[in-house]
Amino acid sequence: NNNNNNNKRTLIGDNTDWKGIFNPIQRKLAASSSSSSRQSGTQKRGIALILGGGGTARAAAYAASQLGLERVYYNRTPSKAQELADTFGGSVAFNLNQEDDSEEKSLGSILRSLDDDVRVVISTLPAAAEFELPSWFVDGATKPIIFDVNYKPYWTKLLHQSDDAGFPIIRGSEMLWEQGVGQFELWTGRSAPYKVMKSVVLHNCLPEDEVE
């Protein structure tokens, strides 16, 4: 809080959830963009497929917008996905089918209309949902980054599926320490001990047989 010229207290709020999503994706995209642009000679905007409709999905939507990615949302309750689209822009897929089912827009039809590649999938769904991407999507030509915000368990069904398909993956543990770094620096005004914070998070998130 601050005191202004009228001696009134001003409360300033901030949020680090979106940076916990933004920073890891930005690093992965930077690593892949240079090689893909050299191969194709062009750089498309790209699409972020955002799964879920809660608070973390809002952070994901904002992060995707800051990354310059087109947003497509999917949630079992379409009205929650529509709220995200109304706030942050983008399209809502009513199902994950490749083709439209009656009058409902499918993921496949939306991707064809956007005429671009999915570069990132951000799942904010709980691990207990045991979500997996549809086979037609996994078997497609592109290999998007898969970001599962769960940090426990270390392996979700989505991460197993993505790893088997050769997709680059980002775990929730990476989001966790990026959030911590942002919070530390906001509160203290000092540079965070990044390596130390990363080590602590990994120690608590890695399976016991992988902790050194």
Side-chain angles (χ1 to χ4, degrees), residues 15-31 59 62-64 66-67 122 145 147 170 174-183 185 194:
N15 179 287
T16 61
D17 287 2
W18 75 273
K19 286 196 172 181
I21 297 172
F22 176 94
N23 290 345
I25 293 176
Q26 185 183 48
R27 285 193 292 268
K28 287 276 190 185
L29 287 176
Y62 182 73
Q66 295 302 297
L67 288 162
I122 308 172
I145 297 164
F147 194 151
I170 302 173
E174 197 163 346
M175 175 182 175
L176 197 61
W177 77 64
E178 289 286 358
Q179 286 175 294
V181 166
Q183 290 164 10
E185 293 181 346
Y194 188 93

Side-chain angles (χ1 to χ4, degrees), residues 100-193:
D100 285 343
D101 182 10
S102 66
E103 296 181 359
E104 295 184 341
K105 280 288 185 181
S106 68
L107 175 61
S109 67
I110 291 173
L111 297 183
R112 287 192 296 275
S113 68
L114 293 174
D115 190 28
D116 206 345
D117 296 329
V118 176
R119 302 188 67 195
V120 183
V121 176
I122 308 172
S123 174
T124 70
L125 301 170
E130 298 190 333
F131 175 85
E132 289 184 307
L133 291 162
S135 57
W136 68 264
F137 184 91
V138 174
D139 295 337
T142 63
K143 290 188 178 294
I145 297 164
I146 308 297
F147 194 151
D148 191 326
V149 303
N150 291 286
Y151 52 90
K152 286 188 177 181
Y154 189 72
W155 286 101
T156 62
K157 288 196 75 171
L158 175 60
L159 289 178
H160 272 301
Q161 180 193 37
S162 304
D163 190 57
D164 290 343
F167 295 169
I169 61 177
I170 302 173
R171 290 182 166 85
S173 54
E174 197 163 346
M175 175 182 175
L176 197 61
W177 77 64
E178 289 286 358
Q179 286 175 294
V181 166
Q183 290 164 10
F184 181 96
E185 293 181 346
L186 281 172
W187 278 104
T188 67
R190 297 159 48 200
S191 295

Side-chain angles (χ1 to χ4, degrees), residues 1-4 8-16 186-187:
N1 55 64
N2 298 321
N3 287 331
N4 58 25
K8 292 182 179 179
R9 178 170 293 181
T10 302
L11 298 178
I12 300 175
D14 212 320
N15 179 287
T16 61
L186 281 172
W187 278 104

